[in-house]
Amino acid sequence: MADTINDRIKEILEKSPVVLFMKGTPLFPQCGFSNQVVAILNNIGIEYDSVDVLQDPEIRQGIKVYSDWPTFPQLYIKGELVGGCDIITEMFENGELAELAQKENIARK
Amino acid sequence: MNMQNPSDATLKPVASLIKARLEAAFSPKKLIIEDDSNKHAGHAGHQHRSESHFTVTVVAQAFENESRISRERMVHKALGDLLPDRIHALRLKLSPPA
């Protein structure tokens, strides 16, 4: 059982270079912290996939174990956890997030 | 130890649990726990509890030479079952002493 969840997570992370696990969707975020990270990604204008963990309890639980990170949102770039809302906000404000996106050749919208 | 909270007696139960666990884990130089719950009253995560949203500032030697991800993981571990059972949302400001 655990293997299938991990396989699903790996598949999601391999499918897109930038993945946001969040509460709600980019159009209708269900949490202020998820909303903030969506706004940041839209602001720097990179393409990303999102996963609504409220619609998928298995992923919601599985990703916490996978990443050793208990809260949402969680932003992944090239399969690596970059951070939650605090870290992403700080990296946006000091320019590191845009730099990282450029370094990893993330497609722009 | 420089406690910024006005008085321990004013800390409500969840906040005092956070305080106790972070003090035990990090012996912080500075520890500020702000209860932001009233800003979120009525939304889904609030769950009719008075305490659920916190901003926590910790300055501790243990954060020296640790990445941001790793600093947050250290705090998550120290908080244990409080997160996410008792704490719905946590804003962390973590740094080593200047």
Side-chain angles (χ1 to χ4, degrees):
Chain A
M1 189 66 185
D3 281 347
T4 60
I5 299 169
N6 272 340
D7 288 346
R8 277 188 66 202
I9 290 169
K10 282 185 188 136
E11 203 173 294
I12 292 168
L13 291 175
E14 278 164 13
K15 215 173 69 185
S16 172
V18 185
V19 182
L20 179 64
F21 291 86
M22 63 178 289
K23 292 181 174 175
T25 64
L27 276 182
F28 297 102
Q30 299 296 316
C31 155
F33 297 96
S34 289
N35 183 38
Q36 186 168 333
V37 172
V38 164
I40 287 171
L41 293 177
N42 290 342
N43 183 290
I44 63 173
I46 56 174
E47 284 184 8
Y48 63 97
D49 272 359
S50 70
V51 176
D52 181 357
V53 298
L54 297 177
Q55 299 298 323
D56 198 328
E58 195 180 78
I59 289 284
R60 182 178 183 171
Q61 201 46 48
I63 193 76
K64 289 182 183 180
V65 176
Y66 180 88
S67 59
D68 189 22
W69 198 263
T71 56
F72 295 100
Q74 298 184 10
L75 182 71
Y76 290 76
I77 295 185
K78 297 277 171 79
E80 293 288 322
L81 176 65
V82 179
C85 185
D86 290 341
I87 291 175
I88 298 304
T89 302
E90 188 185 326
M91 290 179 73
F92 170 63
E93 285 169 353
N94 67 18
E96 267 180 80
L97 190 62
E99 257 171 53
L100 179 64
Q102 193 161 28
K103 195 181 97 193
E104 300 286 354
N105 290 314
I106 304 303
R108 303 185 68 84
K109 278 188 199 168
Chain B
M1 148 96 133
N2 174 20
M3 276 298 309
Q4 303 272 320
N5 288 301
S7 142
D8 288 356
T10 67
L11 289 177
K12 295 188 219 161
V14 180
S16 47
L17 284 170
I18 294 174
K19 176 174 174 285
R21 293 197 188 182
L22 294 181
E23 279 176 350
F26 301 109
S27 306
K29 295 262 186 289
K30 182 166 146 189
L31 175 61
I32 307 173
I33 298 166
E34 296 160 78
D35 185 345
D36 307 324
S37 306
N38 55 1
K39 292 184 203 161
H40 302 272
H43 96 58
H46 197 255
Q47 298 174 338
H48 309 290
R49 288 202 193 125
S50 56
E51 297 174 278
S52 57
H53 294 64
F54 295 93
T55 298
V56 176
T57 305
V58 189
V59 176
Q61 198 59 51
F63 298 142
E64 187 93 47
N65 299 322
E66 299 287 347
S67 69
R68 275 172 300 225
I69 288 260
S70 136
R71 286 175 191 171
E72 291 209 14
R73 279 202 181 112
M74 291 159 78
V75 170
H76 296 157
K77 285 213 167 62
L79 294 176
D81 62 337
L82 293 180
L83 199 71
D85 290 349
R86 304 291 299 275
I87 305 168
H88 169 70
L90 184 61
R91 200 176 276 275
L92 292 173
K93 298 175 184 170
L94 311 176
S95 57

